[in-house]
Amino acid sequence: MALRHYILDVCLSTPVDCATTVHGLLSIFHEQEMTETLHDTDGHGCLATFVGKNGRVVMVRVHSQGLVTIDLQCYDDDNIVQLDNLLNALEKKLKVLLHGNITRIKRLPALRRGAEVDRYWPTADGRLMEYDIDRVVYEEDSPYQNIKILHSQQFGNILVLNGDVNLAESDLAYTQAIMGSGKENYAGKEVLILGGGDGGILAEVVKQKPKMVTMVEIDQKVIDGCKMHMRKTCGNILDNLKGDCYQILVEDCVPVLKKYVLDGKTFDYVINDLTAVPISTEPEEDSTWEFLRLILDLSIKVLRSTGKYFTQGNSVNLTEALSLYEEQLGKLSCPVGFSKEVVCVPSYLELWVFYTVWKK
């Protein structure tokens, strides 16, 4: 079962008489054989609900501050033409009743609530986005996270981890940005990838004939899902855990990094694809910040003096969180420099920041 939720908002230049406005709409609802109930709002305008056939419910609220809101809920199999006609009639009637007092009318496309396929995902800064997702391709719960791969008509298959959009088949721009935006030569180099279970970074680096790439991904189920359903991103690179110039370690990267530090193992490039900069602006209280600092410090320790460390930041709108991340760069075991780049990643529907870090 799914529900459609229509929203009509009418902004007014001055408040209007609440009871008169609701009374003026009654004939429209009676034509639809809908019965009304008036509710006490304790002096905060006027609220009326209307219940009709097939589970239709309309809530009309005339606010005392100069706003009229109408919410219509119906089941997914209801008659769309009839619903559009009802909303058109309400909008037309309000224009007559309110005598030029209207400053703006806004009618939103229907929200589909409770549908089998979830189409709504928030941006990093909390704005709701509706994707053109039409089916769930893959879903598994691993010991670490919920893994979904959803199909979008625009973006291809999209990897979603714990409710966060990670990467779509359309998102080569992400992979290029976290590799240095085409400015680096990986030929003959040693590269360490942290995370990257979708295989996109590994596939692109291997094309440049590096000496050796080591990818450390903790979640086998991410690899399994992506090698079946994200092949436009990873090609066949995930079909085998070892190749001529790469190896995939299905392990926690922290012990691996600590061992590399003890052994004196170093790399020309470290690419951190584990997690975005935390949204929280309390770095001393958020364990994600603690994890981020640990990874940063260990990564710089295994980076050669001429090497570079690449990572994603977060949404360009999260300026405070990004500033806090840059502060963390000044607290590492050795001094570093950094630059950043803003990139449009198609499926993110927001601009994304990427960082390059190097030893001074």
Side-chain angles (χ1 to χ4, degrees):
M1 184 193 78
L3 192 75
R4 288 208 303 274
H5 186 160
Y6 294 85
I7 296 172
L8 174 63
D9 294 339
V10 183
C11 297
L12 308 173
S13 56
T14 57
V16 294
D17 183 77
C18 300
T20 301
T21 304
V22 171
H23 183 77
L25 299 175
L26 289 180
S27 61
I28 295 174
F29 292 112
H30 291 164
E31 288 174 7
Q32 298 285 325
E33 299 182 7
M34 303 184 80
T35 57
E36 71 270 12
T37 304
L38 298 179
H39 303 269
D40 181 13
T41 61
D42 193 25
H44 296 283
C46 189
L47 172 65
T49 53
F50 300 84
V51 179
K53 297 178 180 179
N54 304 319
R56 289 183 194 173
V57 175
V58 179
M59 181 175 73
V60 178
R61 186 166 185 184
V62 183
H63 301 261
S64 55
Q65 296 87 356
L67 174 67
V68 179
T69 57
I70 296 177
D71 294 84
L72 188 161
Q73 294 185 7
C74 62
Y75 292 116
D76 208 25
D77 58 356
D78 207 333
N79 188 306
I80 293 177
V81 173
Q82 290 181 10
L83 294 166
D84 280 341
N85 289 339
L86 172 57
L87 289 166
N88 288 336
L90 288 169
E91 187 173 333
K92 183 178 179 180
K93 187 68 172 181
L94 283 168
K95 288 178 179 177
V96 173
L97 289 171
L98 299 175
H99 303 296
N101 193 14
I102 297 171
T103 59
R104 183 175 73 246
I105 294 181
K106 186 69 176 182
R107 188 158 137 193
L108 298 180
L111 294 169
R112 298 185 74 247
R113 301 170 64 181
E116 183 178 352
V117 179
D118 189 358
R119 299 164 63 98
Y120 303 99
W121 300 94
T123 59
D125 59 349
R127 291 172 291 114
L128 183 64
M129 295 292 178
E130 180 176 3
Y131 286 78
D132 58 347
I133 292 167
D134 54 16
R135 65 183 183 273
V136 178
V137 175
Y138 175 88
E139 181 168 12
E140 289 285 343
D141 286 306
S142 77
Y144 310 102
Q145 58 203 332
N146 173 261
I147 306 157
K148 290 185 180 73
I149 299 178
L150 310 173
H151 179 262
S152 157
Q153 297 172 61
Q154 290 184 81
F155 306 123
N157 288 343
I158 305 174
L159 175 65
V160 179
L161 301 178
N162 281 345
D164 289 330
V165 173
N166 268 238
L167 194 79
E169 291 178 315
S170 63
D171 294 346
L172 181 60
Y174 176 99
T175 304
Q176 291 173 333
I178 206 168
M179 289 174 56
S181 296
K183 301 170 187 174
E184 306 299 322
N185 180 8
Y186 287 88
K189 302 296 176 58
E190 292 188 82
V191 183
L192 176 63
I193 301 170
L194 306 177
D198 54 75
I201 299 169
L202 179 61
E204 293 301 314
V205 173
V206 164
K207 290 177 183 177
Q208 297 195 30
K209 302 187 183 307
K211 179 179 179 181
M212 175 55 67
V213 184
T214 300
M215 182 178 113
V216 188
E217 166 61 53
I218 197 171
D219 202 335
Q220 180 67 54
K221 286 186 180 292
V222 172
I223 295 173
D224 291 342
C226 291
K227 74 180 179 183
M228 289 188 291
H229 303 293
M230 298 281 291
R231 293 187 81 84
K232 288 183 180 178
T233 295
C234 64
N236 63 1
I237 201 74
L238 298 178
D239 292 351
N240 300 289
L241 294 179
K242 287 188 177 181
D244 292 339
C245 62
Y246 75 90
Q247 60 176 340
I248 301 173
L249 307 179
V250 184
E251 300 180 38
D252 181 346
C253 71
V254 173
V256 173
L257 280 167
K258 288 180 176 179
K259 186 176 187 304
Y260 287 158
V261 172
L262 287 174
D263 294 347
K265 173 68 176 173
T266 58
F267 297 87
D268 297 292
Y269 294 99
V270 178
I271 303 174
N272 178 1
D273 193 33
L274 292 169
T275 182
V277 168
I279 294 174
S280 164
T281 54
E282 301 294 336
E284 302 308 321
E285 299 176 10
D286 189 327
S287 61
T288 310
W289 278 102
E290 184 178 343
F291 175 73
L292 182 146
R293 283 193 294 263
L294 175 63
I295 296 298
L296 256 174
D297 201 50
L298 290 171
S299 296
I300 296 301
K301 287 178 179 177
V302 301
L303 193 65
R304 290 173 183 158
S305 60
T306 57
K308 289 183 180 177
Y309 171 85
F310 295 117
T311 190
Q312 61 170 314
N314 210 310
S315 166
V316 72
N317 285 346
L318 296 177
T319 54
E320 189 174 354
L322 293 169
S323 294
L324 283 169
Y325 175 74
E326 291 166 19
E327 287 180 18
Q328 307 309 309
L329 294 175
K331 299 176 182 179
L332 300 177
S333 56
C334 70
V336 299
F338 72 91
S339 63
K340 56 187 174 182
E341 179 183 17
V342 177
V343 173
C344 179
V345 179
S347 76
Y348 286 17
L349 304 179
E350 57 186 326
L351 296 177
W352 211 250
V353 177
F354 292 84
Y355 285 94
T356 302
V357 182
W358 58 88
K359 292 180 176 180
K360 286 185 177 179

